[in-house]
Amino acid sequence: LLLFALVFVLVSILVQKIVINGIYRVNSSLEKITCGNLEEKVQVTNTDEFKALSEGINATVAALKNAIKETAARIDAELKFAHAIQVSGLPEPNPVFPEQVPFTLAASMKTAREVGGDFYDYLLIDEDHLWFMVADVSGKGIPAALFMMTSKTLLHNLAEKGLPPKDIFQQGNREICARNEAGMFVTAWMGILELSSGRLECANAGHNPPLLLHADGSSEFLRIPPGLVLGGMETSKYRGNTLFLKAGERIILYTDGVTEAQNPSGDFFAEERMQQTMLNQNRSKVTLQ
């Protein structure tokens, strides 16, 4: 019995030292790998079996890292291509109009990711009427970009018919709701400017109020009553509003990507800072941002 007990103790110690501790070390490394640390190496080599196991796990992780790298490179290339397609679907950011057209226009879109849901559009309906808008699709990335292209095309086609902004929103909203299986929505601000008189007919579908810069250096936000977002409810009604732009005045359209931008301290850019920034710019043009 004493001899048996001694052998049992020695075997237990040996198993603990060679097998159990090795399993614990392998499991510890595997836990780090499954938590995302692909730089972790399994280095249990006290027996040929554990050495083979370690080499097999390390080789598998290396293959996984290469696969992830190749996939990431392919996705980056596809996203860059998608970005190029999205940008090509937008009108010229700095268009040149005929000399007799008494206004200037410029636009800019910088997405938080490769592709996004913000967009702008404009159209010279005839020699005396300019249609323009800025919109923002809920969400980011590929889904927002696809929804953005659909919404932009729909609203642009309605604008080509010469409809007033409130009717464009009315019809556009019904069509967006009818094909909105993803449950996304669009905020938008739209206007039609009569160039000969400065008369601006506009409507707001849940979007940020534009900033109007007066020729005398003062400014104000055009807080017209907003309607519901496009795609929110099929029966939504939209209200048209009319105002007059004077010579030298500028109207700034933007999305919440500007006012909700944050610095490292977490402070928002906000409307007040944007207003002051625009006032400091010595430009004289109708600007869409």
Side-chain angles (χ1 to χ4, degrees), residues 12-13 27 34 38 40 49 51 54 60 71 81 91 116 121-122 141 162 175-176 183 193 208 239 258 263-264 283:
S12 298
I13 294 173
N27 284 341
T34 55
L38 299 184
E40 175 67 18
E49 291 78 7
K51 183 177 180 181
S54 299
T60 301
T71 301
F81 186 61
D121 201 0
Y122 60 84
E175 295 194 35
I176 290 174
L193 177 63
N208 305 76
R239 180 186 303 178
V258 176
N263 63 15
R283 294 181 299 178

Side-chain angles (χ1 to χ4, degrees), residues 16-27 44 46 50:
Q16 177 70 35
K17 182 177 180 181
I18 297 177
V19 180
I20 304 299
N21 289 347
I23 292 175
Y24 284 156
R25 290 170 61 191
V26 170
N27 284 341
V44 182
N46 53 341
F50 276 120

Side-chain angles (χ1 to χ4, degrees), residues 173-230:
N173 176 66
R174 285 199 298 267
E175 295 194 35
I176 290 174
C177 287
R179 61 183 73 174
N180 190 12
E181 297 180 358
M184 303 181 75
F185 62 86
V186 186
T187 69
W189 200 97
M190 179 185 301
I192 295 179
L193 177 63
E194 187 174 67
L195 305 178
S196 59
S197 65
R199 181 177 182 271
L200 177 63
E201 188 175 1
C202 54
N204 188 350
H207 198 74
N208 305 76
L211 178 64
L212 178 61
L213 302 180
H214 297 291
D216 61 4
S218 62
S219 65
E220 62 178 306
F221 285 97
L222 299 178
R223 301 188 185 277
I224 62 176
L228 192 64
V229 296
L230 304 176

Side-chain angles (χ1 to χ4, degrees), residues 9-48:
V9 170
L10 292 175
V11 169
S12 298
I13 294 173
L14 190 61
V15 170
Q16 177 70 35
K17 182 177 180 181
I18 297 177
V19 180
I20 304 299
N21 289 347
I23 292 175
Y24 284 156
R25 290 170 61 191
V26 170
N27 284 341
S28 176
S29 294
L30 285 175
E31 183 178 0
K32 295 178 181 178
I33 292 171
T34 55
C35 289
N37 182 9
L38 299 184
E39 301 301 323
E40 175 67 18
K41 299 291 185 182
V42 182
Q43 297 177 337
V44 182
T45 59
N46 53 341
T47 67
D48 292 340

Side-chain angles (χ1 to χ4, degrees):
L1 290 176
L2 291 175
L3 181 60
F4 179 79
L6 180 60
V7 171
F8 180 79
V9 170
L10 292 175
V11 169
S12 298
I13 294 173
L14 190 61
V15 170
Q16 177 70 35
K17 182 177 180 181
I18 297 177
V19 180
I20 304 299
N21 289 347
I23 292 175
Y24 284 156
R25 290 170 61 191
V26 170
N27 284 341
S28 176
S29 294
L30 285 175
E31 183 178 0
K32 295 178 181 178
I33 292 171
T34 55
C35 289
N37 182 9
L38 299 184
E39 301 301 323
E40 175 67 18
K41 299 291 185 182
V42 182
Q43 297 177 337
V44 182
T45 59
N46 53 341
T47 67
D48 292 340
E49 291 78 7
F50 276 120
K51 183 177 180 181
L53 177 62
S54 299
E55 291 174 351
I57 294 174
N58 292 334
T60 301
V61 173
L64 177 61
K65 287 172 61 178
N66 289 333
I68 291 174
K69 184 177 180 180
E70 292 175 359
T71 301
R74 187 181 70 252
I75 292 175
D76 286 343
E78 291 176 352
L79 287 175
K80 288 180 181 178
F81 186 61
H83 175 76
I85 293 175
Q86 184 180 33
V87 171
S88 67
L90 297 173
E92 173 62 38
N94 296 286
V96 177
F97 293 101
E99 293 183 1
Q100 66 270 22
V101 176
F103 73 93
T104 56
L105 181 149
S108 174
M109 186 184 77
K110 296 182 180 180
T111 58
R113 301 177 184 175
E114 286 80 357
V115 291
D118 293 3
F119 66 95
Y120 65 88
D121 201 0
Y122 60 84
L123 173 68
L124 197 58
I125 301 174
D126 55 43
E127 294 182 355
D128 197 34
H129 292 88
L130 170 72
W131 169 80
F132 59 96
M133 70 172 297
V134 161
D136 182 7
V137 175
S138 60
K140 298 183 184 299
I142 296 294
L146 293 174
F147 201 76
M148 162 257 179
M149 294 299 290
T150 301
S151 303
K152 175 189 173 298
T153 302
L154 172 62
L155 296 173
H156 187 97
N157 291 341
L158 291 172
E160 287 182 330
K161 297 179 180 180
L163 299 175
K166 67 182 184 65
D167 291 343
I168 294 176
F169 280 159
Q170 195 92 359
Q171 294 187 31
N173 176 66
R174 285 199 298 267
E175 295 194 35
I176 290 174
C177 287
R179 61 183 73 174
N180 190 12
E181 297 180 358
M184 303 181 75
F185 62 86
V186 186
T187 69
W189 200 97
M190 179 185 301
I192 295 179
L193 177 63
E194 187 174 67
L195 305 178
S196 59
S197 65
R199 181 177 182 271
L200 177 63
E201 188 175 1
C202 54
N204 188 350
H207 198 74
N208 305 76
L211 178 64
L212 178 61
L213 302 180
H214 297 291
D216 61 4
S218 62
S219 65
E220 62 178 306
F221 285 97
L222 299 178
R223 301 188 185 277
I224 62 176
L228 192 64
V229 296
L230 304 176
M233 186 180 299
E234 190 172 358
T235 58
S236 296
K237 302 293 184 181
Y238 298 91
R239 180 186 303 178
N241 297 268
T242 302
L243 56 104
F244 286 85
L245 294 182
K246 300 176 182 178
E249 291 186 327
R250 291 160 286 166
I251 183 169
I252 314 289
L253 306 187
Y254 58 95
T255 68
D256 59 12
V258 176
T259 54
E260 294 182 3
Q262 292 178 274
N263 63 15
S265 301
D267 301 320
F268 288 102
F269 191 67
E271 288 184 349
E272 294 78 11
R273 189 175 283 108
M274 188 199 74
Q275 183 176 15
Q276 187 58 49
T277 301
M278 292 298 100
L279 286 173
N280 293 337
Q281 301 301 312
N282 185 21
R283 294 181 299 178
S284 179
K285 55 188 175 182
V286 178
T287 304
L288 304 186
Q289 293 187 344

